[in-house]
Amino acid sequence: MKKIEISNEANLPSRYGEFKIRSFREYKIQENQNYFLDHLVIKTHQMPEIPLIRVHSECLTGDALGSQKCDCGGELEIALKRIYQEGGMVIYLRQEGRGIGLFNKVNAYALQDLGRDTIEANLELGFQSDERDYSIVKEIFDFYAIKKVRLLTNNPKKIEIFSQMVEVERESIIIECNKHNQHYMEVKKEKMGHLL
């Protein structure tokens, strides 16, 4: 059993609608160092029996700064709009840069500026193509007694992982490419098998 702490629930009026938020603090150990990650659940006041769910990994550059190098900010915006209308939640995981952290993500961006793709950049920095850990999601599903979800994703790895936790129906989430992220999207489709 993971060591977690769960915050109280609070209101979050936003430009996408009125939500409830709750934080799940996950305690971890890496290289004999203890640390924690504060994840966020953003949910509608009423949850349908089969909620619309987006498991979204933090992307400061895309989510907050509007970076056009990725599709993250656009996906988060679509997810929040749809979830407000249809009922469900965004599970916002604090694992920037596919789990390599902001510092290393910026270094990966610099390598991408030199012509590497997103996977090549991670590998050159000594990381796997994707370092994310989704185990906290099981704790969140259990906390809210969620048994079946409509999962907003194009990532077959997420479908596989979350299908071991709950029953999953996939819903696609597509944003338009631009000149800055077209190659990134091609790599996601061709090298990572994303359903684009």
Side-chain angles (χ1 to χ4, degrees), residues 1-67:
M1 179 95 171
K2 275 186 164 303
K3 183 182 176 192
I4 60 169
E5 284 183 83
I6 302 171
S7 76
N8 294 326
E9 190 171 75
N11 292 317
L12 179 71
S14 80
R15 66 175 175 258
Y16 305 108
E18 299 211 359
F19 295 96
K20 294 281 190 181
I21 56 171
R22 188 186 299 270
S23 183
F24 287 73
R25 175 170 284 177
E26 177 186 21
Y27 289 87
K28 300 182 79 108
I29 301 172
Q30 185 175 34
E31 297 175 2
N32 295 322
Q33 297 290 318
N34 293 320
Y35 68 101
F36 62 83
L37 296 171
D38 288 337
H39 308 291
L40 188 66
V41 168
I42 307 149
K43 65 179 278 296
T44 50
H45 290 248
Q46 299 299 318
M47 292 277 285
E49 188 177 341
I50 306 172
L52 187 62
I53 302 284
R54 169 73 182 163
V55 179
H56 189 90
S57 294
E58 178 181 35
C59 176
L60 179 68
T61 51
D63 299 341
L65 303 177
S67 170

Side-chain angles (χ1 to χ4, degrees), residues 104-133:
N104 293 312
K105 176 181 169 177
V106 173
N107 285 334
Y109 267 14
L111 289 171
Q112 289 170 39
D113 291 342
L114 297 174
R116 277 48 149 219
D117 67 35
T118 180
I119 292 173
E120 292 165 346
N122 275 24
L123 295 175
E124 192 166 325
L125 291 171
F127 299 104
Q128 297 177 40
S129 60
D130 192 335
E131 296 266 347
R132 289 176 289 186
D133 171 16

Side-chain angles (χ1 to χ4, degrees), residues 151-187:
L151 186 68
L152 272 170
T153 190
N154 304 317
N155 186 342
K157 183 178 177 184
K158 285 184 180 179
I159 298 166
E160 179 186 340
I161 291 168
F162 301 138
S163 291
Q164 296 170 30
M165 302 175 187
V166 293
E167 190 177 338
V168 173
E169 292 176 7
R170 181 185 87 90
E171 302 240 352
S172 66
I173 181 165
I174 305 291
I175 69 158
E176 287 187 30
C177 289
N178 63 63
K179 66 181 181 179
H180 303 288
N181 73 6
Q182 184 172 350
H183 182 61
Y184 169 85
M185 300 292 279
E186 289 168 358
V187 168

Side-chain angles (χ1 to χ4, degrees), residues 53-120:
I53 302 284
R54 169 73 182 163
V55 179
H56 189 90
S57 294
E58 178 181 35
C59 176
L60 179 68
T61 51
D63 299 341
L65 303 177
S67 170
Q68 296 195 354
K69 280 187 151 188
C70 63
D71 56 348
C72 305
E75 285 183 336
L76 181 61
E77 185 171 346
I78 288 169
L80 286 166
K81 286 177 180 176
R82 281 197 58 193
I83 286 167
Y84 179 68
Q85 292 169 354
E86 299 173 43
M89 67 173 59
V90 170
I91 300 172
Y92 193 88
L93 301 180
R94 301 297 303 277
Q95 44 188 2
E96 180 74 53
R98 292 199 190 117
I100 67 174
L102 185 59
F103 184 89
N104 293 312
K105 176 181 169 177
V106 173
N107 285 334
Y109 267 14
L111 289 171
Q112 289 170 39
D113 291 342
L114 297 174
R116 277 48 149 219
D117 67 35
T118 180
I119 292 173
E120 292 165 346

